[in-house]
Amino acid sequence: MIVSLIDSGLGMLPTSAWLRTLRPDLDLILALDPDGAPWGPKSEQWVIERVLATVQLTLDRGAEVIVLPCNTASVTALEHVREFVGPEIPVIGTVPAIKPAAEACESVAIWATAATTASRYQADLIERFGNGSSVVAVACHGLADAIDLGRRDTATAAIASAVARTPEDVEGVVLGCTHYPLMADEIAAKLPTGVRLFDSAEAVAAQTLRRIDALNRPSTGKGTVEVFLSGRPGRLPPSAEIFPAGRLLSAGRIQPS
């Protein structure tokens, strides 16, 4: 069983690492787009075309399941991908963990990129899943970019800025960009004691496995990891190995391209 994960950068690592941990025999295709990153500021049509081209690449490499562990890709291109691949290939998107956070906490902050924070999409999610909780949006300027580049000092400064703009009485923080869980320990250390963090990576991985099981096909593989960088065969960038998830995936059996 070959699963492809598509994102502009390292935001795919948390979900990929959960898949590697929960089902280490799965063969993974990790398709990053360093040439086009970040996707958030790009036009919708540009993102759709970029994602669909990457989907085709991974299908050509044998992908049987498609995962978009990226909020921008999910919001913009998820339905287009499903139409493109047809009903036989499961496509799993990502939604910020607003619902579980609002169910568990009376006050919630949603940390996200500036583009997502200003989006109608996030506002709709808050309206649908806010559950009567007090919800505030916090734009984390530069945090995702710093994570992609492996610049911990810059990332730490971005976290400190976001903490300073987060109300002191929040009970939960939603990590609304798939990059942010890579810095979860640093984020938790900067927030007041007792603040809970919520992210979607484990849930997306679990949903992926449920969809795989529903196919009723042999799901064993060799545990290979194949990496593409803007369509070119490659390896995870050195910045990935700063994070435990990146080291876990880099230690996988690399599929020759």
Side-chain angles (χ1 to χ4, degrees):
M1 179 65 64
I2 301 175
V3 179
S4 78
L5 298 102
I6 297 170
D7 188 10
S8 62
L10 299 187
M12 68 169 56
L13 294 183
T15 299
S16 303
W18 274 112
L19 286 174
R20 169 61 75 219
T21 300
L22 296 170
R23 196 73 64 82
D25 57 305
L26 288 176
D27 296 319
L28 305 179
I29 299 174
L30 309 183
L32 296 77
D33 185 22
D35 293 356
W39 286 348
K42 305 294 197 303
S43 71
E44 287 190 8
Q45 190 58 40
W46 187 96
V47 173
I48 291 167
E49 291 175 1
R50 199 77 167 187
V51 171
L52 291 181
T54 307
V55 167
Q56 184 61 62
L57 168 71
T58 66
L59 292 176
D60 292 343
R61 298 298 296 182
E64 300 164 84
V65 178
I66 308 293
V67 184
L68 303 181
C70 169
N71 292 309
T72 296
S74 296
V75 173
T76 308
L78 180 61
E79 295 308 318
H80 296 273
V81 173
R82 286 177 172 156
E83 181 179 0
F84 182 74
V85 302
E88 299 301 316
I89 296 180
V91 181
I92 298 91
T94 298
V95 175
I98 295 171
K99 183 177 181 180
E103 289 175 347
C105 305
E106 293 185 0
S107 55
V108 175
I110 304 172
W111 285 20
T113 64
T116 299
T117 299
S119 69
R120 181 69 246 174
Y121 164 72
Q122 180 167 293
D124 288 343
L125 288 177
I126 294 170
E127 186 175 341
R128 290 172 58 195
F129 301 121
N131 197 41
S133 297
S134 171
V135 180
V136 61
V138 177
C140 300
H141 302 285
L143 180 53
D145 291 342
I147 290 170
D148 268 337
L149 295 170
R151 295 178 178 170
R152 278 193 172 274
D153 290 348
T154 304
T156 299
I159 290 168
S161 172
V163 169
R165 291 177 286 110
T166 299
E168 294 182 1
D169 61 347
V170 298
E171 298 176 6
V173 169
V174 175
L175 302 181
C177 170
T178 55
H179 287 66
Y180 299 171
L182 294 170
M183 299 286 290
D185 289 346
E186 291 84 350
I187 292 170
K190 294 287 186 180
L191 290 166
T193 302
V195 174
R196 297 175 60 183
L197 299 183
F198 296 83
D199 75 81
S200 303
E202 184 177 5
V204 172
Q207 174 65 3
T208 300
L209 296 180
R210 284 192 290 270
R211 297 294 301 277
I212 289 172
D213 292 340
L215 293 173
N216 292 317
R217 301 177 194 161
S219 60
T220 56
K222 298 179 180 178
T224 60
V225 178
E226 189 173 17
V227 178
F228 288 91
L229 305 174
S230 300
R232 304 178 298 274
R235 293 180 178 270
L236 287 173
S239 55
E241 298 205 21
I242 293 174
F243 308 104
R247 293 194 292 273
L248 174 65
L249 292 157
S250 295
R253 292 179 288 279
I254 303 299
Q255 170 76 27
S257 297

